[in-house]
Amino acid sequence: YNLIYFFRKHGMGKIAIYGWGEAGRFLYEMATDAGIEVSYAMDRNQFSDESRLPVYQSFQELPEVDAVVVTAIQAYADIEASIRPFFTCPIVSMDDIVAECKVDLIDSAVS
C-alpha cells in the first residue's frame, strides 16, 4: 500500500520497471492491482516470454512513462547513469520510494 501511495502522491499513473527479477515482478503485481499502469519492464538479462508485460533489453525509443522505477537497489547509480539519456521522466530507486513512504507513514502517525 505504501509504495502505491508514493506513485499517487507524485502523480505517477504510468510507470516502467527496471529490473525484472523478484522485486520487479512484485512491484508489477502490486502496482497493477492498485490501478497503476505498468507499461513495460526493462532488464539487461533476457527473460522468457511468460510475462504479460513487454520486457526490453534495449532502452532506445521506449514509450513515455511518468517514472522509471529501478528495483536493483545496489546498482541504482550505475543504472540511472546508463539509462538517463533515454528518459525525460524521473528515474527513482525502489530504496528511495520505501524511505519516503516510511517518513510519510511516521509523519502521519505523529500528526
Side-chain angles (χ1 to χ4, degrees):
Y1 165 78
N2 290 335
L3 298 179
I4 300 311
Y5 167 78
F6 174 89
F7 299 121
R8 290 194 175 129
K9 175 182 173 185
H10 293 283
M12 298 171 174
K14 182 173 25 172
I15 64 169
I17 298 171
Y18 185 102
W20 196 235
E22 192 172 318
R25 291 170 195 255
F26 176 74
L27 176 59
Y28 170 76
E29 292 299 327
M30 199 166 52
T32 55
D33 286 350
I36 304 295
E37 180 184 340
V38 180
S39 296
Y40 52 90
M42 299 168 283
D43 202 297
R44 293 195 185 277
N45 298 316
Q46 186 170 357
F47 286 89
S48 64
D49 199 333
E50 87 280 352
S51 172
R52 293 166 270 158
L53 188 68
V55 180
Y56 296 103
Q57 289 180 281
S58 173
F59 310 123
Q60 296 179 2
E61 299 182 31
L62 293 174
E64 287 292 320
V65 290
D66 298 326
V68 174
V69 181
V70 177
T71 61
I73 295 168
Q74 299 292 341
Y76 171 76
D78 291 337
I79 292 168
E80 194 276 339
S82 70
I83 67 174
R84 169 54 50 212
F86 305 107
F87 295 95
T88 57
C89 66
I91 300 172
V92 294
S93 166
M94 191 74 152
D95 194 37
D96 291 340
I97 294 171
V98 170
E100 183 174 323
C101 290
K102 284 171 123 177
V103 168
D104 286 352
L105 189 61
I106 291 168
D107 288 348
S108 69
V110 172
S111 299

